[in-house]
Amino acid sequence: MERFQKAVHITEDIILGSDQLVLLAGPCAVESYDICMRVADEMKRLTTNLGISYIFKASFDKANRTSAGSFRGIGTQEALETLRKIKNEFDLPIVTDVHESSQIESVSEVADILQIPAFLCRQTDLLLAAGSSGRAVNIKRGQFMAPEDMQYAVKKIAGTGNENAFLTERGVSFGYHNLVVDMRSLPTMRQYAPVIFDVTHSVQQPGGAGGSSGGQREFAPYLARAAAAVGVDGFFIETHPNPKEALSDGPNMVPLEEMSSFLEMIKNAWLLGQKYT
């Protein structure tokens, strides 16, 4: 299969779809400045040492929780201000989710990448608004979407004059409370845009923990190596100093203390995979 024709420019130094290994990583949600700071500090140190291009990830608003009683966030303004502080203090690009067109203007003042959640990857107005922002756009493949149909989401962004769209694979629904990754989706989607593999959401068990989502983080290394072998342009990983105490998606996050060995493993697998893709 032929690959995409254009790389995606995140910043002057980070170009997705080039010869760089790009990582989007951070806690699931902005729980506090302290959590974000600890993750950003450690992740920047690790990625600098490994020569990985790093983008800090955290959701300013978790609008798609299983239960209305689940943690949603610390408030839009406080969360965006926390992301702004991380961006400035650590000199890091930021990626965060947007759920409604009305959020685009304020979020794009902080974020370098606007992320379209998987459930919303067909929402035309949201995609057009994100594309019109001029920011790079990460479109997560819906658990219900065929990989070849993601080309139309990319075309919606391109229709705004924005060529900086890319796709993220995060598994497909397999019955209830379970996901599987069809590795064929990676080269299929890579025809249309650079592709990121979401390591931690691919081992999520949506709604599988009685009002919240479960996860099987023990399988994350296996899927990461498999995706690296098939060929991807980067990885998405959620991490936390103490996943058991995380307010969102704890069961599928990689503990921060394990990220050093995890990233070294991913880089070695990715470099090997580059020889064949």
Side-chain angles (χ1 to χ4, degrees):
M1 294 181 175
E2 293 186 5
R3 284 177 56 185
F4 56 86
Q5 298 300 309
K6 294 182 179 179
V8 169
H9 292 254
I10 309 299
T11 66
E12 290 184 2
D13 299 323
I14 301 179
I15 302 175
L16 184 62
S18 61
D19 58 353
Q20 299 178 14
L21 173 56
V22 178
L23 175 70
L24 287 64
C28 177
V30 177
E31 298 180 13
S32 66
Y33 170 75
D34 180 63
I35 293 293
C36 289
M37 179 272 294
R38 290 170 63 188
V39 173
D41 184 53
E42 179 66 2
M43 291 303 301
K44 182 169 184 178
R45 183 185 69 82
L46 293 175
T47 53
T48 297
N49 290 341
L50 288 169
I52 297 173
S53 298
Y54 176 50
I55 299 163
F56 181 83
K57 179 272 163 190
S59 296
F60 78 94
D61 176 27
K62 295 299 295 182
N64 56 346
R65 301 305 306 275
T66 302
S67 168
S70 298
F71 173 79
R72 180 162 175 173
I74 59 176
T76 295
Q77 294 305 316
E78 185 176 352
L80 289 178
E81 185 57 32
T82 296
L83 292 176
R84 190 190 305 275
K85 288 180 180 179
I86 296 298
K87 179 186 180 81
N88 293 335
E89 292 174 14
F90 293 92
D91 191 25
L92 289 172
I94 299 293
V95 56
T96 194
D97 305 89
V98 287
H99 297 88
E100 300 177 7
S101 301
S102 60
Q103 297 174 334
I104 299 293
E105 183 176 359
S106 59
V107 175
S108 62
E109 292 178 359
V110 178
D112 301 87
I113 303 171
L114 302 178
Q115 183 164 281
I116 307 298
F119 289 125
L120 301 177
C121 68
R122 288 179 51 151
Q123 295 295 101
T124 299
D125 289 345
L126 180 61
L127 289 165
L128 295 180
S132 297
S133 73
R135 294 300 193 185
V137 182
N138 177 23
I139 313 168
K140 303 192 86 171
R141 179 168 80 92
Q143 299 92 325
F144 49 88
M145 290 286 287
E148 58 269 22
D149 289 342
M150 291 305 296
Q151 66 180 296
Y152 304 111
V154 174
K155 288 177 180 178
K156 289 177 183 180
I157 302 297
T160 69
N162 187 341
E163 299 291 337
N164 286 325
F166 60 100
L167 298 168
T168 291
E169 168 61 42
R170 50 95 17 102
V172 62
S173 294
F174 187 69
Y176 301 116
H177 301 157
N178 198 23
L179 300 171
V180 294
V181 178
D182 180 357
M183 291 295 169
R184 295 174 299 179
S185 69
L186 301 176
T188 297
M189 293 197 300
R190 247 179 149 196
Q191 295 175 97
Y192 320 123
V195 170
I196 295 288
F197 180 65
D198 184 338
V199 176
T200 44
H201 285 104
S202 292
V203 298
Q204 187 185 57
Q205 295 174 313
S212 62
S213 292
Q216 296 177 303
R217 72 168 64 93
E218 65 269 23
F219 291 111
Y222 302 100
L223 291 183
R225 289 197 297 269
V230 173
V232 291
D233 302 286
F235 294 88
F236 178 109
I237 303 173
E238 289 187 340
T239 183
H240 192 281
N242 188 349
K244 290 183 179 180
E245 295 183 359
L247 300 179
S248 177
D249 277 3
N252 48 272
M253 284 201 277
V254 178
L256 186 61
E257 64 183 12
E258 297 178 13
M259 284 299 291
S260 178
S261 58
F262 200 97
L263 290 180
E264 186 173 359
M265 175 270 292
I266 279 183
K267 181 176 181 180
N268 290 336
W270 183 79
L271 289 172
L272 184 61
Q274 287 293 94
K275 297 180 180 180
Y276 304 101
T277 59

